[in-house]
Amino acid sequence: MNAYSGKNAVITGGGSGIGFATAKLLVDAGARVVITGRSQATLDAARQRLGTNATAVRGDVSSLGDLDVLAARVRDELGTVDALFVNAGITSAMPFESMTEEVYDQSFAINVKGAFFTVQKLAPLLSTGAGVVLTTSVANVMGMLETSVYAAGKAALRSMARSLSRELLPRGVRVNAISPGPVDTGILESSMPQEAAERFKAARVAENPMRRFGTPEEIARAVAFLAFDATYTTGAELVVDGGVTQL
Ligand SMILES: NC(=O)c1ccc[n+]([C@@H]2O[C@H](COP(=O)([O-])OP(=O)(O)OC[C@H]3O[C@@H](n4cnc5c(N)ncnc54)[C@H](OP(=O)(O)O)[C@@H]3O)[C@@H](O)[C@H]2O)c1
């Protein structure tokens, strides 16, 4: 039951959805976890549910200053890090004709720059044998409507999993990507009107070979595998999508 006893993990975007499910899985299996996010209320609620083996540090991954604060807190709380789940992200679903510079810049600032500098700032704390997992998306290989900016950012992360793997290999650190298909976490509703989100979700279910969304817990199990158990795997992408990009 305590498979991850003595292990330390950091999860960006760990207060909700896939990040929270991963934090819960790891804490339940004995790990100590630091979670981050921008909303203090979300972090407080998550911390309450996770218990004393979890620490919440408020911060915005698109701010390098906040990432410095996170790294300092992680060093104080955990010392070293065995699993770094670079998961914070936003969707910015919008037809390409209506895309604005502001939304484009915010999407890349959080999903791409934020992920890159999260790894850079926390790298000094990674232990030998540590696993870094970047959350990309099946959107990185699909031409879905209204996802051009989001998908391009996620494709950048898929690429970074390869190049950062090469750079961190001499330190014995593995870097892999998790590529979820549709998971009903509320992320869509936070970035588009309810009606559009419902339409988008119905289309995802209809096209999926399993005719359903995945659960955050199904993604969390794959993340834990990549972070801790996939000791001969680096630079890879694990697709967890009900088969939508495979069948
Ligand atoms: N759900 C899906 O269908 C799906 C599919 C493929 C990939 N993904 C990816 O999976 C990851 C997790 O998404 P989710 O579905 O679990 O949705 P979610 O519950 O909205 O999780 C996103 C998390 O990221 C945090 N976050 C967003 N911007 C941030 C920032 N600038 N700084 C720090 N934290 C930030 C959010 O917290 P705050 O808002 O409090 O900051 C939230 O906890 C994302 O990268 C998403 O792109 C999701």
Side-chain angles (χ1 to χ4, degrees):
M1 201 48 210
N2 282 336
Y4 303 124
S5 188
K7 300 293 186 186
N8 297 327
V10 175
I11 302 177
T12 66
S16 63
I18 292 166
F20 177 79
T22 306
K24 178 101 178 59
L25 182 156
L26 296 181
V27 163
D28 287 350
R32 287 197 300 159
V33 173
V34 169
I35 59 171
T36 73
R38 295 164 302 178
S39 158
Q40 190 64 53
T42 302
L43 289 176
D44 289 345
R47 163 72 182 72
Q48 184 90 22
R49 289 175 63 194
L50 291 169
T52 51
N53 271 348
T55 302
V57 180
R58 210 196 72 75
D60 183 335
V61 295
S62 66
S63 156
L64 269 62
D66 284 6
L67 289 174
D68 283 330
V69 170
L70 173 67
R73 281 291 303 279
V74 168
R75 194 181 53 238
D76 291 347
E77 296 283 338
L78 303 178
T80 56
V81 176
D82 304 299
L84 172 59
F85 185 25
V86 182
N87 167 72
I90 55 167
T91 53
S92 45
M94 193 177 282
F96 105 98
E97 294 93 339
S98 340
M99 181 55 68
T100 62
E101 184 179 13
E102 187 188 2
V103 173
Y104 181 103
D105 284 346
Q106 188 196 32
S107 181
F108 271 78
I110 295 174
N111 291 358
V112 183
K113 183 182 100 170
F116 178 86
F117 285 103
T118 298
V119 180
Q120 189 200 64
K121 297 287 186 184
L122 289 165
L125 303 178
L126 293 170
S127 59
T128 304
V132 177
V133 181
L134 309 178
T135 305
T136 178
S137 163
V138 292
N140 76 20
V141 290
M142 295 178 80
M144 288 192 281
L145 280 174
E146 304 187 2
T147 62
S148 50
V149 171
Y150 175 78
K154 291 301 189 182
L157 288 195
R158 200 294 161 237
S159 168
M160 277 181 204
R162 287 196 171 95
S163 43
L164 297 182
S165 288
R166 178 63 74 184
E167 297 218 31
L168 288 167
L169 194 59
R171 291 193 38 208
V173 171
R174 296 167 298 103
V175 184
N176 291 292
I178 184 85
S179 188
V183 183
D184 199 2
T185 57
I187 194 170
L188 291 170
E189 288 81 350
S190 66
S191 69
M192 61 173 90
Q194 181 73 27
E195 197 193 324
E198 290 308 326
R199 251 200 334 270
F200 191 87
K201 283 160 69 172
R204 299 290 77 76
V205 170
E207 76 189 0
N208 194 285
M210 292 194 185
R211 296 285 183 271
R212 69 173 178 89
F213 275 65
T215 66
E217 291 74 23
E218 286 174 310
I219 310 301
R221 288 197 292 274
V223 173
F225 168 73
L226 285 177
F228 289 109
D229 307 313
T231 51
Y232 195 47
T233 303
T234 196
E237 175 181 27
L238 178 52
V239 178
V240 187
D241 70 348
V244 70
T245 58
Q246 311 298 316
L247 308 189

